[in-house]
Amino acid sequence: MPVACTFVTTAPPLIVARGLEKRFGASVAVDGIDVHVEAGEAFGFLGPNGAGKTSTMRMIGCVSPRSGGELSVLGFDPATDGPQIRARLGVVPQEDTLDLELTVRENVLIYGRYFDLPRAAIRTRADELLEFVQLTDRSNDRVDNLSGGMKRRLTIARALVNRPDLVLLDEPTTGLDPQARHLVWDRLYRLKRQGATLVLTTHYMDEAEQLCDRLVIMDAGRIVAEGSPRQLIEKHATREVVELRFRSESVQHAALPRLHAIGARIEELADRVLLYTNTGEADVERLQADGLETETLLIRRASLEDVFLTLTGRTLEE
Amino acid sequence: MTTPLAMRVAAHQARIYTRFWRSSVFAYVLSPVLFLAAIGIGLGDMINKNNATVGGFEYLVFVAPGLMAAAAMQGAAADSLWPIMAGTKWIRVFHAMVATPIRPRDVYDGTVLSTTARAGAGATVFLLVATAFGAVPSAWGVLAIPGAALCAGAFAAPLTAFAATQETDLSFPVIMRLGILPLFLVSGTFFPISQLPDWIQPLAWLSPLWHGVVLCRDATTGTLEPGNALVHVAALVACIAAGRALGVRAFTKRLAQ
Ligand SMILES: Nc1ncnc2c1ncn2[C@@H]1O[C@H](COP(=O)(O)OP(=O)(O)O)[C@@H](O)[C@H]1O
Ligand SMILES: [Mg+2]
């Protein structure tokens, strides 16, 4: 037996989409995307509002029929096997759908019943899950009284009640304050380490960088790039970015010729100029020697935000 | 054995209901009992003093089954409007359901089923009270319970479908006032429809409430005839079937677009 052999994966991919489309009347929300997600991956859709992330997630979640292309989830076709697929999914939708009138624990119990799990098993599972999302001490509180971050964590707990093979999270931390976001990230990170397959959407590049092994960048219904965060940055951005802010727009405008003289690629935004370079410090020295006056100036590592900007000419938050 | 999908929804509604049962006690029991006391006994006494009967019965006996069916209609109508808007738009619990094996049609079925069951339970309590008032002369009266439930279903099925098509609840009070309330008055609840002007009578036959009222009345007075009953049951079942066809479409459109 050779020790080193090509590992033949018999496990089929959990999600395969080819030319997947979603149209609402005449408007196209998802415009022919190809996606492939393997078991154990944390896969992300990064894109601005309106990119088609939710529409894609709803098709994968078997609640929204596809308008075109092919889609297979857990090896089945959502068009014909929706209930069987959904029985093995855990879904955290973009907008909360918790039952505000019930308690935290009741929300998990009832959700478990939708999967027809035995009551005793759900009770044990609910306690485990509330412990996992650090809501044990709020078990008997009405959901109404929870903070946004707690609601999000409860939604995650609820989504795990059926021990899903695939967890779908649509913008898991949108609208949360930084501290609440970190709590959610921490839980998702743990899930990932336990081997869960996560598919998430986000318009936060730091979220994508933190959580995703691999991601696609979506814009206007299409995938514009794919890879690991590191690969994407290496491929589409320079090592460093010099960020310059000026006192006024006219000062910024006046500075442009000198910036162009550096020879690096330049992105002009409303409130700042970005200089894509591999020699940040040398460039800054040159500019300062040149007498360039800036309000602030910083050299940072390139991020997915820069990748998005390079590919689309726009920022994610727009 | 697996629990049918719609039953899982109904079980959820039943659980929520443990918090809202008070409002149903009002709709299905207190309100018709107040009517029964005021109209059945008060007005009934006046009619009795004149040695008159209504539809061949003492007025209390005549009006009790009418109130029972009408309460089933009114309670079911209210339960089929605002709570549906809560499920689709306000709190969005229906969206949570369809992310699980449950399908939009199961959400619809389970919701209508639980509304109907609630009306049936309310009708049972009312029937007991009415019996204590001496308004239920026949033991066949027990069949008024499924009669009232069927009547509730005939309203719940189409109204639940309608509510799912709405973006706001603006139309709901209009339905209650201009749809449900007039039916309450002209469907043989308080007086036989033969008292209505000739040209309105055929309209009363179109009212699901009238079919419900007649079923309940024939049951509580022990005058149920299988042939007649079948026609009324068929009319109510037709409303439910039509409502369901619309409801499955409306829920699918709303929850699985
Ligand atoms: N139910 C719908 N009806 C009509 N248009 C829709 C609907 N849902 C989404 N869209 C449109 O599809 C596009 C993609 O939306 P969405 O998938 O929600 O993007 P994202 O989640 O990336 O913000 C948007 O232009 C949006 O307006
Ligand atoms: Mg979205």
Side-chain angles (χ1 to χ4, degrees):
Chain A
M1 253 306 266
V3 177
C5 64
T6 322
F7 194 78
V8 183
T9 44
T10 44
L14 297 194
I15 303 173
V16 183
R18 278 193 215 94
L20 183 62
E21 282 177 29
K22 182 71 197 183
R23 289 186 295 272
F24 295 102
S27 82
V28 182
V30 180
D31 196 3
I33 61 170
D34 297 344
V35 180
H36 194 97
V37 179
E38 301 283 347
E41 267 192 302
F43 182 87
F45 291 91
L46 174 67
N49 266 330
K53 304 182 297 296
T54 297
S55 303
T56 304
M57 289 294 255
R58 285 173 55 81
M59 288 191 281
I60 296 171
C62 309
V63 289
S64 168
R66 63 180 180 266
S67 315
E70 286 168 44
L71 178 62
S72 131
V73 180
L74 304 174
F76 297 97
D77 182 349
T80 51
D81 306 312
Q84 291 91 308
I85 299 171
R86 293 198 300 272
R88 294 168 53 196
L89 298 182
V91 178
V92 175
Q94 182 171 349
E95 281 179 69
D96 280 329
T97 57
L98 295 166
D99 205 320
L100 304 179
E101 277 127 14
L102 297 179
T103 67
V104 167
R105 191 161 181 272
E106 283 174 319
N107 261 279
V108 182
L109 297 181
I110 281 201
Y111 204 71
R113 290 297 300 151
Y114 296 154
F115 292 93
D116 208 22
L117 306 171
R119 280 166 217 280
I122 302 173
R123 280 196 290 271
T124 320
R125 183 83 179 134
D127 293 337
E128 269 170 39
L129 289 171
L130 292 180
E131 183 77 44
F132 174 68
V133 296
Q134 297 162 308
L135 285 174
T136 303
D137 53 336
R138 306 301 297 262
S139 290
N140 297 315
D141 286 7
R142 270 169 59 115
V143 170
D144 237 352
N145 304 328
L146 299 188
S147 69
M150 290 176 178
K151 283 185 185 152
R152 236 33 208 153
R153 268 148 49 208
L154 174 56
T155 303
I156 292 170
R158 191 180 72 166
L160 299 174
V161 73
N162 60 330
R163 300 179 192 274
D165 295 323
L166 174 59
V167 184
L168 306 176
L169 304 120
D170 196 357
E171 310 230 3
T173 67
T174 296
L176 302 188
D177 60 57
Q179 201 190 345
R181 286 176 76 194
H182 279 281
L183 269 175
V184 170
W185 285 354
D186 178 54
R187 295 300 106 178
L188 294 181
Y189 207 77
R190 271 170 202 247
L191 264 186
K192 193 175 133 173
R193 275 211 316 242
Q194 292 167 11
T197 310
L198 306 181
V199 174
L200 62 96
T201 77
T202 182
H203 65 267
Y204 297 126
M205 54 98 185
D206 48 345
E207 185 158 276
E209 277 181 30
Q210 293 254 343
L211 293 174
C212 298
D213 302 323
R214 202 159 61 81
L215 61 108
V216 291
I217 295 182
M218 259 186 112
D219 186 41
R222 293 176 192 221
I223 290 175
V224 292
E226 176 184 344
S228 67
R230 178 183 292 269
Q231 285 170 341
L232 285 167
I233 293 167
E234 276 171 8
K235 182 158 177 212
H236 300 283
T238 48
R239 200 153 51 85
E240 292 174 330
V241 182
V242 182
E243 234 182 281
L244 308 116
R245 284 174 201 269
F246 297 89
R247 198 153 300 127
S248 69
E249 231 175 297
S250 55
V251 177
Q252 176 169 325
H253 199 73
L256 283 177
R258 268 186 280 178
L259 295 177
H260 279 294
I262 296 287
R265 197 167 60 75
I266 285 179
E267 283 287 350
E268 247 189 288
L269 302 176
D271 60 338
R272 68 206 135 116
V273 178
L274 305 179
L275 211 68
Y276 289 101
T277 173
N278 288 320
T279 53
E281 234 162 286
D283 295 341
V284 167
E285 270 169 33
R286 229 181 101 187
L287 288 169
Q288 278 168 341
D290 227 9
L292 185 81
E293 278 187 38
T294 57
E295 186 120 295
T296 61
L297 183 155
L298 90 115
I299 306 173
R300 58 167 175 80
R301 292 178 47 190
S303 70
L304 287 173
E305 179 82 43
D306 299 301
V307 174
F308 186 79
L309 192 61
T310 305
L311 291 169
T312 68
R314 286 176 294 115
T315 60
L316 277 164
E317 299 283 347
E318 249 164 40
Chain B
M1 216 193 79
T2 58
T3 314
L5 295 164
M7 288 309 294
R8 301 180 200 175
V9 175
H12 166 262
Q13 308 292 40
R15 182 159 198 141
I16 297 280
Y17 188 59
T18 57
R19 297 190 187 245
F20 292 104
W21 60 273
R22 283 173 202 85
S23 69
S24 305
V25 169
F26 181 80
Y28 293 116
V29 182
L30 276 184
S31 161
V33 165
L34 284 177
F35 267 103
L36 190 67
I39 296 182
I41 298 177
L43 189 64
D45 264 358
M46 279 170 58
I47 297 173
N48 290 344
K49 279 191 188 114
N50 293 323
N51 283 326
T53 58
V54 177
F57 302 102
E58 192 190 326
Y59 190 60
L60 181 72
V61 171
F62 177 86
V63 83
L67 291 170
M68 182 174 173
M73 166 189 75
Q74 284 179 305
D79 280 356
S80 302
L81 295 172
W82 288 274
I84 303 305
M85 186 62 61
T88 57
K89 302 212 70 159
W90 294 336
I91 311 183
R92 301 167 48 81
V93 285
F94 292 167
H95 293 272
M97 294 176 182
V98 297
T100 74
I102 288 165
R103 302 160 299 176
R105 63 173 59 225
D106 306 313
V107 179
Y108 173 82
D109 288 345
T111 308
V112 171
L113 201 66
S114 68
T115 304
T116 306
R118 218 147 50 217
T124 307
V125 179
F126 176 80
L127 189 72
L128 290 173
V129 177
T131 307
F133 275 59
V136 182
S138 167
W140 288 107
V142 71
L143 288 180
I145 295 169
L150 214 51
C151 179
F155 285 91
L159 288 178
T160 299
F162 168 78
T165 66
Q166 296 297 290
E167 300 296 329
T168 71
D169 63 344
L170 286 179
S171 59
F172 296 173
V174 180
I175 290 187
M176 291 304 284
R177 280 189 210 122
L178 299 184
I180 298 300
L181 191 67
L183 282 185
F184 183 41
L185 299 175
V186 302
S187 299
T189 317
F190 296 108
F191 52 87
I193 60 164
S194 56
Q195 303 287 314
L196 290 169
D198 283 349
W199 61 274
I200 294 191
Q201 278 185 38
L203 289 180
W205 300 336
L206 291 178
S207 156
L209 177 58
W210 178 69
H211 296 283
V213 167
V214 175
L215 270 180
C216 289
R217 185 168 291 138
D218 288 356
T220 57
T221 55
T223 56
L224 217 49
E225 280 174 36
N228 275 345
L230 209 61
V231 172
H232 297 304
V233 168
L236 295 173
V237 168
C239 290
I240 295 174
R244 183 169 187 274
L246 297 171
V248 168
R249 281 172 60 180
F251 271 60
T252 303
K253 183 144 186 261
R254 173 64 73 194
L255 301 175
Q257 207 175 42

